[in-house]
Amino acid sequence: MTKHLFTPIKLGRLSLDHRVAMAPLTRSRAGQPGNVPTDMNVEYYRQRASAALIVSEATQISQQGQGYAWTPGIHTEEQIEGWRAVSNAVHEEGGRIFLQLWHVGRVSHPVFQPGGGLPVAPTAMPVPGKTFILDENGNGAWGDVPVPQELTVEGIREIVADYRRAARNAMAAGMDGIEIHAGNGYLLDQFINSSSNHRRDSYGGSIENRARLLLEVVAAVSEEVGSQNVAVRLTPMGRFMGMGDEAPEATFGYIVRKLNDYALAYLHLVEPAMVGVVKDENFDPRWDAIMKLLRDAYTGVLMLAGGYDRDTAEQAIASGRADIVAFGRPFIANPDLPARLRDGHPLNPADTSSFFGGDATGYIDYPALS
Ligand code: FNR
């Protein structure tokens, strides 16, 4: 039987009614001080609870893991309480939510780091570009990303322990599971890609070594909360934040085959042709082949994201390219996106100027169909 967007699916412990998921979306509106989810954040997620599964905005596992102003964390008691209010609201509406766990690595600034120190990375190489920081008065400002410090093996062990604690905290906050953010040029991706990892120890060099940190994190959080409650997001061939790998088929093929050893809830891949948030049909022609290779290599539930609309999502599910599709920007602007897709209603356009930071405008005021 051909599957479609509104065919139910089982994902880990969860039985989902349909396959329209909400992609992780940083909105930079956590409460200050402390990066704690607020009542406004609760309302935002409540409005979107008709998603088959919500993947939360990226959430730092530690103070060291923060790289942008006003992003939420999951490493303090207040943050756990804040997220509990979010998960309760989503569950009251019959929804499901995974918390996306984030460590930015070198994409940070001393204003966020414990003791004002340097951000950490596999190798002391800066990412070209700026990050959105806080100035002395607590206002948002663009700041240069400094040369990071190379992580010691002891520092790497502490980060694995931070992931483990964050996963435990997420489950204590009532989440249905966690998604490990291993894409978009952040810490785990910095280890994976040969462009940003020039280490000579057991965490650099070979593909096995560059994948080691991700796989240690997967093992640790799986042991902590059960692998059926764990997912991984990867951005193979991604170029955001200075990424690039000398052999992406081999690197990501290896990782995906290794992930088969864990009965994860799902694997989440972003279409490589998404360059930032623009789809480039002329992207490196290997991108389509790599997605087929990874689909064939992975034995579990595969979630895809990146530039999907109703028709392309239906095609992806019908052809087996994806088992479930995550929508990002369409979910920002359409809190009731699944109903609109099901019934063929037009979509509200998203206002990009209110994506990051600000108040309720462009956040919880997008209209649902009455
Ligand atoms: C994103 N994206 C993203 N990805 C991620 O893994 N964690 C995150 O926190 C964010 N934050 C984020 C914020 C905003 C405002 C945008 C637009 C995007 C990427 C996102 O999950 C998705 O992959 C892309 O938006 C492409 O999907 P759409 O928007 O074409 O459906």
Side-chain angles (χ1 to χ4, degrees), residues 23-26 58 100 181 184 233 277 306-307 327-330 355-356:
L25 293 160
T26 292
Q100 192 186 49
H181 191 353
N184 288 0
R233 190 177 220 218
V277 289
F327 294 82
R329 288 160 296 171
F355 276 2
F356 302 107

Side-chain angles (χ1 to χ4, degrees), residues 1 36 39 45 95 109 123 144 185 208 241 287 298 334 363:
M1 197 187 74
V36 178
D39 291 348
Y45 284 108
H109 188 277
T123 300
D144 285 317
E208 290 80 358
M241 295 292 178
W287 73 268
Y298 190 61
N334 297 274
Y363 189 57

Side-chain angles (χ1 to χ4, degrees), residues 88-101:
N88 282 343
V90 170
H91 291 151
E92 273 164 27
E93 302 297 325
R96 312 294 176 89
I97 180 167
F98 272 41
L99 193 76
Q100 192 186 49
L101 300 186

Side-chain angles (χ1 to χ4, degrees), residues 117-196:
L118 286 172
V120 298
T123 300
M125 292 165 64
V127 49
K130 293 181 185 284
T131 190
F132 194 69
I133 62 166
L134 289 166
D135 67 16
E136 317 75 71
N137 305 317
N139 297 317
W142 288 97
D144 285 317
V145 172
V147 179
Q149 52 176 319
E150 178 177 313
L151 273 163
T152 61
V153 171
E154 183 49 34
I156 291 174
R157 288 209 185 96
E158 285 168 16
I159 288 172
V160 175
D162 288 340
Y163 271 101
R164 182 189 281 273
R165 191 173 325 102
R168 185 163 69 230
N169 290 348
M171 299 310 276
M175 294 289 153
D176 294 297
I178 54 132
E179 179 177 287
I180 299 165
H181 191 353
N184 288 0
Y186 298 115
L187 181 73
L188 297 173
D189 210 18
Q190 289 158 28
F191 271 84
I192 292 169
N193 279 267
S194 56
S195 64
S196 46

